[in-house]
Amino acid sequence: MTFRAAVAGASGYAGGEIIRLLLAHPEIEIGALTAGGNAGTRLGEHQPHLLPLADRILAETTVDALSGHDVVFLALPHGKSAEIASELGDECVVIDCGADYRLTDPDAWIRWYGGEHAGSWPYGLPELAAQRAAITAARRIAVPGCYPTVSTLTLAPAVAAGLVEPEVVVVAASGTSGAGKSLKPHLLGSEVMGSVSAYGVGGAHRHTPEITQNLSLLSESDVSVSFTPLLVPMPRGILATCSAPLRDGVSAEQIAETYAAAYQNEPFVHVLPSGQWPTTASVLGSNNVTIQAAVDEDARRLIAIGAVDNLTKGTGGAAVQCMNLALGLEETLGLPQTGVAP
């Protein structure tokens, strides 16, 4: 059976990545492609790598344009998905790649995003406890943020097993595509090349409450998260260095066994062999997350490192993975499990 999919926000990075993956999906026919300010232009003007659909004209993002599809992907700015989603019928699966439905706490939404909280949908991280079943039964799914995806998966086994204190530190370096496609002076090539910079310092990044929410679900107590993002001169990818104090008596062997067991049956999360560390290059273009963990014996801290392509498993790949589950398809269908090198 073939399903028909629409993509709203097709001219942006997230929308383009979803389309790239759908073009290789054997059970999907691509229907409406819509945009905001770029409506009326050719897709190829904005996504020249999507040659099979380069001559498609982008429609306005309206309920009429998106109706009549089996699945609708919303790759829209934060705060814009709710007004569209509320008008789409339950007969279609709606997958939001923005933040509108990720947070369960209305006060957290108001603090970090402002405006009215639209509610929360099943959270689109199948590897997180109990989420796979929830996604499979859902008609509405909220795709995680890219930083929360890699941070959560990198820390989850240790937090869930109670091997660390609920006080984690995440320092994650991201490529510039994580900031979206809008023109911003600080993202110009001349500003970024040859430079690494921190931003959202001091708990000011919007993904902090999402990481906190995810890890607190795995712990008997609330987890505190200190998150610092870094901007690095590359187009895509995230490398997250995560740490937390070890509980008394926890050994390196225990950490290794816990991580291996947690992800042994996950198709997209790979714990690397001892001595091998994640790199962003190794996951480029794939739906994989690679993880390695170690124990700093002197500091008595867990050091866990994870790598993800922020546009694939961090956004578009996660959206397609959730679509597969919601439509009753094989979870891995149409999703690349090999990276691109060099």
Side-chain angles (χ1 to χ4, degrees), residues 35-198:
N38 291 321
T41 63
R42 293 173 57 254
L43 178 67
E45 292 179 34
H46 314 283
Q47 312 283 13
H49 62 299
L50 302 177
L51 284 173
L53 298 176
D55 290 330
R56 281 280 197 100
I57 302 299
L58 298 175
E60 290 276 358
T61 299
T62 64
V63 173
D64 287 343
L66 298 173
S67 296
H69 294 81
D70 298 297
V71 57
V72 174
F73 295 93
L74 301 176
L76 303 174
H78 302 317
K80 298 297 184 182
S81 296
E83 57 194 71
I84 293 289
S86 63
E87 299 297 324
L88 294 172
D90 291 339
E91 69 277 4
C92 73
V93 174
V94 181
I95 300 177
D96 182 26
C97 295
D100 290 28
Y101 297 97
R102 293 173 186 163
L103 298 181
T104 57
D105 182 354
D107 291 336
W109 169 267
I110 293 169
R111 174 187 172 190
W112 293 93
Y113 293 95
E116 184 178 353
H117 183 232
S120 60
W121 289 352
Y123 191 71
L125 190 61
E127 299 85 0
L128 189 61
Q131 290 306 115
R132 185 170 274 110
I135 295 165
T136 300
R139 305 299 288 175
R140 299 288 188 271
I141 301 164
V143 174
C146 51
Y147 281 127
T149 293
V150 65
S151 302
T152 300
L153 294 175
T154 301
L155 284 163
V159 172
L163 302 181
V164 294
E165 300 290 345
E167 305 162 4
V168 305
V169 175
V170 177
V171 178
S174 174
T176 56
S177 61
K181 216 171 186 179
S182 299
L183 295 177
K184 302 177 180 73
H186 73 285
L187 296 179
L188 294 172
S190 56
E191 301 290 334
V192 173
M193 287 188 296
S195 177
V196 176
S197 59

Side-chain angles (χ1 to χ4, degrees), residues 155 157-159 161-168 242-256 258-259 293-304:
L155 284 163
V159 172
L163 302 181
V164 294
E165 300 290 345
E167 305 162 4
V168 305
C242 309
S243 71
L246 291 169
R247 293 200 188 271
D248 291 343
V250 173
S251 67
E253 292 75 15
Q254 195 173 356
I255 291 290
T258 299
Y259 272 78
V295 168
D296 183 334
E297 292 289 2
D298 291 333
R300 288 300 296 162
R301 293 186 71 88
L302 166 75
I303 308 297

Side-chain angles (χ1 to χ4, degrees), residues 27-38:
E27 302 294 337
I28 295 297
E29 172 192 343
I30 298 177
L33 301 178
T34 77
N38 291 321

